[in-house]
Amino acid sequence: SQNGSLGFGCSAIRSYQGQCERRLRKMLGPTVIECSTDPRGEFSPCFRGVTCTNDASLFPPYSCGSCPSGYLGDGQTCVDIDECGNASPCSSVVTCQNTPGGFVCPNCPSGYSGSNKTGSGLLDATANNQTCTDINECATNNGGCDSKTNCTNSMGSFNCSSCPFGYTGTGLTGCGLGICCLLNLDN
């Protein structure tokens, strides 16, 4: 092209205005500088799932809606928010998993009560954080320890004390009379 002409009878300065723009669009079809009419939105200049609106009064001649929940940006470029790193939505006894547009707090481990949590975005990540509460196993049936032993609760677990002198076994498996007690030798 010579002297700024685009070869379609349009000057470079007027290439996106009036008749020239309509002539170019008719010849070229939808381009990456306008919203696609493709129902799947594969050729949209906006981020996946963001509404694209053609507007000839703008340059480029389109506008993008807001980024989806869990993303930050201008609608054309959206970047995943790391809710795990920015808001700590999960209990300290589980590992938060950042996902595209969201996060997952897995189920509380054995020895704790509480449920999993999933969400999207910082608002969701800071609202009602996951809570995993220690279960006091000793509060029910001495934690399953032999009645001759003591149950000691710990975070997410418990311990049974040793069997008393003269008994064999463990506090968890049960205490049986030792040979000295059976023969009455402990006097």
Side-chain angles (χ1 to χ4, degrees):
S1 331
Q2 300 176 22
N3 301 330
S5 170
L6 298 175
F8 305 107
C10 303
S11 70
I13 296 172
R14 296 181 19 172
S15 64
Y16 289 104
Q17 298 174 354
Q19 286 186 357
C20 186
E21 180 182 0
R22 286 191 292 277
R23 199 175 317 148
L24 280 172
R25 287 185 186 197
K26 186 173 182 180
M27 292 173 64
L28 298 174
T31 66
V32 294
I33 60 164
E34 62 185 9
C35 301
S36 171
T37 55
D38 175 17
R40 294 173 296 192
E42 290 181 10
F43 304 107
S44 174
C46 300
F47 187 77
R48 171 185 29 90
V50 172
T51 302
C52 183
T53 306
N54 285 316
D55 185 343
S57 69
L58 300 174
F59 183 81
Y62 64 87
S63 64
C64 297
S66 299
C67 291
S69 179
Y71 291 87
L72 288 174
D74 61 7
Q76 186 170 356
T77 303
C78 299
V79 178
D80 179 51
I81 298 170
D82 180 2
E83 293 89 351
C84 297
N86 290 309
S88 302
C90 302
S91 169
S92 63
V93 297
V94 300
T95 301
C96 184
Q97 300 162 359
N98 190 52
T99 60
F103 65 93
V104 173
C105 301
N107 286 327
C108 296
S110 178
Y112 291 87
S113 64
S115 59
N116 69 331
K117 177 181 177 175
T118 60
S120 170
L122 288 175
L123 183 61
D124 206 10
T126 56
N128 304 314
N129 286 359
Q130 179 193 39
T131 303
C132 294
T133 306
D134 176 57
I135 297 170
N136 183 353
E137 294 87 355
C138 299
T140 305
N141 194 29
N142 198 33
C145 299
D146 188 283
S147 61
K148 295 172 193 65
T149 65
N150 293 319
C151 179
T152 304
N153 187 58
S154 60
M155 294 304 288
S157 190
F158 68 98
N159 293 303
C160 300
S161 65
S162 300
C163 294
F165 178 76
Y167 290 85
T168 61
T170 68
L172 187 58
T173 60
C175 299
L177 287 175
I179 190 75
C180 65
C181 293
L182 290 174
L183 299 174
N184 200 19
L185 297 175
D186 59 341
N187 291 338

